[in-house]
């Protein structure tokens, strides 16, 4: 899946790379860009593709999702896949149905994804315990996303460069000109479907791999991390009264084969904050 400069931010990201990175590094870095759907507050007249907070419509036969400890999860977000440009993404999302995302603070494991196929009988449900987050309608735009400095895709790309360029790439996200210019391109809040997760700390995929492998080191750790990809990131959001720790984000990460098979219950969950 290539990156088109018609994406709302792609031309700006590519311009920053060409202005601040060594020639041999530019094409490598640009080649790592991936498409994502950015979700943001819907403006008047825009198509609504989903919502933060509010009350979800759950299948009539389904009980409210619970944590492993048997406590009700909070409803975070829902997206209507039929209203997203899923065919422009490089993850095999279905073109129809709804995905609902749940989480209970402050646990690092109490989260769930519920897939609701089109045509399923549903009814709107209220939160069983705490008041729901305020409902915020979301619009969508297709954007380009870049790997974090310790993402396994970037680590693999570095290995193919010359020694001098490897040295530069190892310190890439500490390069002042590049880092400052890239920060200028980052829109807030960071809600994304697909693409690269934008980590608050380190690579989300590596975080998942460490849990799966019991903290093993490279190369096994990065081999496992490359088997995972970001499904959904939900940032802290003032409009929805959502604050994940200290300005953190929630991440649902999956293997592409599980996405293709619509096994959304297999999603791994990570939360990070500063």
């Amino acid at each position: 899946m290539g990156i088109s400069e018609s994406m709302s931010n792609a031309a700006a990201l590519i311009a920053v790379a060409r202005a601040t990175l060594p020639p041999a590094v530019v094409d490598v870095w640009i080649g790592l860009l991936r498409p994502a759907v950015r979700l943001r507050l819907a403006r008047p007249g825009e198509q609504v593709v989903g919502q933060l907070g509010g009350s979800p419509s759950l299948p009539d036969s389904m009980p409210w999702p619970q944590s492993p400890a048997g406590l009700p999860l909070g409803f975070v977000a829902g997206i209507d896949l039929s209203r997203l440009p899923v065919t422009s993404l490089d993850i095999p999302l279905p073109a129809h149905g709804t995905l609902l995302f749940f989480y209970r603070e402050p646990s690092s494991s109490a989260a769930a994804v519920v897939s609701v196929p089109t045509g399923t009988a549903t009814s709107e449900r209220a939160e069983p315990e705490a008041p729901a987050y305020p409902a915020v309608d979301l619009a969508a735009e297709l954007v380009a996303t870049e790997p974090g400095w310790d993402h396994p895709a970037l680590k693999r790309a570095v290995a193919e460069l010359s020694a001098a360029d490897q040295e530069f790439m190892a310190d890439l996200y500490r390069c002042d000109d590049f880092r400052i210019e890239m920060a200028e391109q980052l829109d807030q809040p960071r809600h994304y479907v697909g693409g690269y997760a934008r980590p608050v700390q380190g690579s989300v995929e590596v975080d998942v791999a460490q849990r799966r492998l019991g903290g093993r080191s490279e190369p096994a750790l990065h081999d496992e991390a490359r088997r995972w990809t970001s499904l959904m990131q939900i940032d802290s959001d003032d409009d929805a009264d959502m604050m994940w720790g200290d300005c953190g984000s929630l991440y649902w990460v999956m293997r592409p084969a599980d996405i293709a098979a619509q096994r959304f219950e297999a999603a791994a969950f990570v939360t990070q904050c500063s």
Side-chain angles (χ1 to χ4, degrees):
M1 179 68 64
I3 290 294
S4 168
E5 292 200 26
S6 64
M7 293 180 183
S8 61
N9 66 335
L13 294 183
I14 291 170
V16 168
R18 288 178 174 154
T20 59
L21 299 180
V25 174
V26 170
D27 290 339
V28 171
W29 188 85
I30 292 174
L32 293 174
L33 295 176
R34 294 178 57 203
V37 174
R38 179 177 177 245
L39 303 174
R40 55 166 176 76
L41 179 67
R43 305 182 186 105
E46 287 188 308
Q47 183 182 50
V48 173
V49 303
Q51 70 183 68
L52 296 177
S55 298
S57 291
L58 283 169
D60 291 341
S61 60
M62 178 181 290
W64 188 273
Q66 295 185 336
S67 72
L71 300 173
L73 301 177
F75 176 60
V76 176
I79 53 171
D80 183 344
L81 295 173
S82 69
R83 297 184 178 184
L84 297 185
V86 295
T87 57
S88 295
L89 299 179
D90 59 3
I91 59 174
L93 279 171
H96 301 283
T98 300
L99 294 181
L100 307 174
F101 297 85
F102 296 82
Y103 170 61
R104 184 180 179 92
E105 297 184 275
S107 173
S108 61
S109 60
V113 182
V114 173
S115 176
V116 184
T118 300
T120 302
T122 63
S123 55
E124 189 173 291
R125 310 269 193 94
E127 292 271 359
E129 288 187 358
Y133 297 106
V136 174
D137 287 340
L138 298 171
E141 59 180 333
L142 194 63
V143 299
T145 60
E146 76 283 354
W149 70 270
D150 63 345
H151 192 279
L154 185 59
K155 296 288 188 183
R156 172 179 278 183
V158 167
E160 299 172 358
L161 297 173
S162 69
D165 289 324
Q166 283 190 42
E167 183 177 354
F168 182 91
M169 291 289 276
D171 206 37
L172 176 62
Y173 285 74
R174 297 174 180 83
C175 171
D176 284 345
D177 289 344
F178 178 83
R179 179 176 53 81
I180 291 169
E181 290 295 327
M182 286 299 298
E184 291 291 325
Q185 307 304 321
L186 183 58
D187 292 318
Q188 303 283 358
R190 301 164 299 180
H191 307 315
Y192 295 97
V193 180
Y196 293 108
R198 295 191 182 274
V200 179
Q201 296 178 357
S203 166
V204 175
E205 295 84 355
V206 171
D207 194 341
V208 170
Q210 286 175 328
R211 297 183 191 182
R212 297 281 163 161
L213 300 180
R216 261 194 272 178
S217 58
E218 296 184 42
L221 184 62
H222 278 189
D223 287 344
E224 176 65 18
R226 283 192 289 269
R227 297 187 179 103
W228 296 83
T229 190
S230 180
L231 170 67
M232 182 72 154
Q233 173 177 354
I234 298 294
D235 205 6
S236 295
D237 191 302
D238 290 341
D239 291 322
D241 288 347
M242 292 177 176
M243 178 60 69
W244 314 123
D246 184 6
C247 299
S249 284
L250 310 180
Y251 307 89
W252 285 266
V253 188
M254 292 186 68
R255 293 185 175 98
D258 287 329
I259 298 175
Q262 301 185 38
R263 293 188 290 263
F264 293 102
E265 69 279 2
F269 177 74
V270 175
T271 179
Q272 294 183 352
C273 62
S274 56

